[in-house]
């Protein structure tokens, strides 16, 4: 990797790190490009060389956050052998990851507002929702959940979990809120099972 490419990557990492910190603490609307480049120690020209503007930079930050959450969900779920336990562990891991203040603000609050619902949902589908669809497909294939189209079920459950995460964000006490929100969500998930005698 040549020096110019290394410098470009370093500048990009600085901009992502500092803009993420600012977006998370103050919100997209309260942060200016001047503050971002000042915090990163780069020029506006350097920013515009890498991003089209503030919204494009935010999109890259959101993508980073979504990828981190998706990795956490996948890592947690993959630690379980039983398909149903893998599925529910992944759902709970998503909610737990969503209690982080920067995840709440960037992914759940500002994401849809800044990018618009359709673009935000498309990004969500390529992250956590993609893993959810895979898990549901596996459960249907194994007969744990009755045969049905995966896409609408994925949207319904993704919507429920995003709403639960937003409720946690607004609760003021995400730790205690998770204790309250998980049992009803777990019962809702359990209702999907063809044979629920095992738990």
């Amino acid at each position: 990797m040549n020096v110019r490419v290394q410098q470009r990557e370093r500048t990009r990492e600085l901009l992502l790190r500092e803009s993420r910190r600012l977006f998370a603490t103050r919100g997209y609307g309260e942060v200016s490009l001047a503050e971002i480049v000042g915090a990163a120690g780069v020029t506006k020209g350097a920013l515009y060389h890498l991003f089209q503007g503030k919204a494009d930079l935010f999109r890259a930050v959101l993508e980073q956050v979504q990828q981190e959450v998706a990795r956490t969900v996948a890592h947690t779920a993959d630690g379980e052998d039983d398909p149903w336990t893998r599925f529910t562990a992944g759902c709970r891991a998503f909610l737990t990851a969503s209690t982080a203040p920067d995840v709440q603000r960037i992914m759940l609050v500002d994401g849809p507002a800044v990018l618009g619902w359709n673009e935000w949902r498309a990004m969500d589908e390529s992250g956590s929702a993609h893993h959810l669809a895979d898990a549901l497909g596996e459960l249907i294939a194994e007969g744990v959940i009755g045969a049905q189209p995966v896409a609408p079920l994925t949207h319904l459950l993704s919507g429920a979990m995003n709403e639960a995460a937003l409720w946690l964000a607004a609760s003021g006490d995400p730790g205690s809120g998770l204790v309250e929100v998980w049992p009803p969500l777990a019962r809702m998930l359990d209702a999907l099972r063809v044979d629920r005698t095992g738990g």
Side-chain angles (χ1 to χ4, degrees), residues 78-103:
D78 290 345
E80 302 292 341
D81 293 327
D82 174 68
W84 182 258
T85 308
R86 190 160 51 244
F87 168 61
T88 56
C91 291
R92 189 176 178 107
F94 172 80
L95 288 181
T96 302
S98 298
T99 63
D102 63 330
V103 173

Side-chain angles (χ1 to χ4, degrees), residues 139-199:
L139 290 170
I140 291 168
E142 295 195 11
V144 178
I145 292 176
Q148 59 190 289
V150 172
L153 183 59
T154 301
H155 280 278
L156 286 167
L157 292 183
S158 180
M161 285 191 289
N162 283 333
E163 281 298 320
L166 283 168
W167 182 84
L168 286 172
S171 71
D173 185 359
S176 296
L178 185 59
V179 174
E180 290 182 44
V181 82
W182 178 250
L185 181 59
R187 285 192 295 272
M188 187 176 81
L189 297 175
D190 200 50
L192 295 169
R193 298 177 75 175
V194 171
D195 177 9
R196 287 175 277 153
T197 57

